Amino acid sequence: RIRLNVGLVFTNEELTDLRQLLEENKVQSVAKVGAISPCDVVIPKGDTGLIPTETAFLQALQISSKINKGQIQIMQPKLIIEKGEKVGQSEATLLKKLDIKPFKYGLEVLSCFSEGNMFDVA
């Protein structure tokens, strides 16, 4: 019996080729408010493209920044969401402003059935 979100993929191709194809077709996604983060999300150091009036927004998230050549520059990388945490409104808004799509979604291969044998994927 199959439960939850399960997909079955049938192929005559090599399993390693199929796995690579599935990995290549994962889609980048924005962080949505209330979603559980599948990974740590770090805001990188460097220019943001944000205008100087938005420094207060970064300060509220305890992200050190300065104004450089008319835009906000983040001084050091900052972990803003840990794996397993819910995405908050402020974090989602900041990631959207910075055009950061931290999550990848797609099929995850858990098991394979080949020539009458079932095995877990390592």
Side-chain angles (χ1 to χ4, degrees):
R1 184 171 149 171
I2 298 174
R3 293 185 184 180
L4 302 176
N5 295 325
V6 175
L8 300 175
V9 179
F10 298 90
T11 184
N12 290 325
E13 302 296 319
E14 289 292 322
L15 296 179
T16 54
D17 293 341
L18 177 61
R19 185 175 185 180
Q20 181 179 354
L21 179 67
L22 293 175
E23 189 64 34
E24 289 170 357
N25 283 287
K26 287 191 176 184
V27 178
Q28 292 290 127
S29 179
V30 296
K32 295 180 183 172
V33 177
I36 303 297
S37 178
C39 61
D40 287 345
V41 178
V42 176
I43 300 295
K45 173 183 175 178
D47 294 334
T48 63
L50 298 177
I51 57 175
T53 57
E54 300 193 70
T55 55
F57 190 77
L58 294 172
Q59 290 171 348
L61 291 170
Q62 299 175 347
I63 298 172
S64 60
S65 62
K66 69 177 184 176
I67 297 172
N68 184 29
K69 298 180 183 176
Q71 68 175 333
I72 298 173
Q73 184 178 61
I74 294 175
M75 300 301 295
Q76 58 191 24
K78 173 74 174 176
L79 175 69
I80 63 164
I81 308 170
E82 290 186 27
K83 180 179 180 177
E85 285 185 342
K86 279 189 178 182
V87 177
Q89 179 69 48
S90 297
E91 292 85 357
T93 302
L94 177 60
L95 291 167
K96 187 173 182 176
K97 285 179 186 240
L98 297 175
D99 195 29
I100 296 174
K101 296 179 180 177
F103 303 152
K104 287 177 93 174
Y105 294 102
L107 295 178
E108 180 182 357
V109 179
L110 301 176
S111 299
C112 290
F113 181 82
S114 179
E115 299 179 12
N117 297 307
M118 181 79 127
F119 54 94
D120 292 334
V121 176

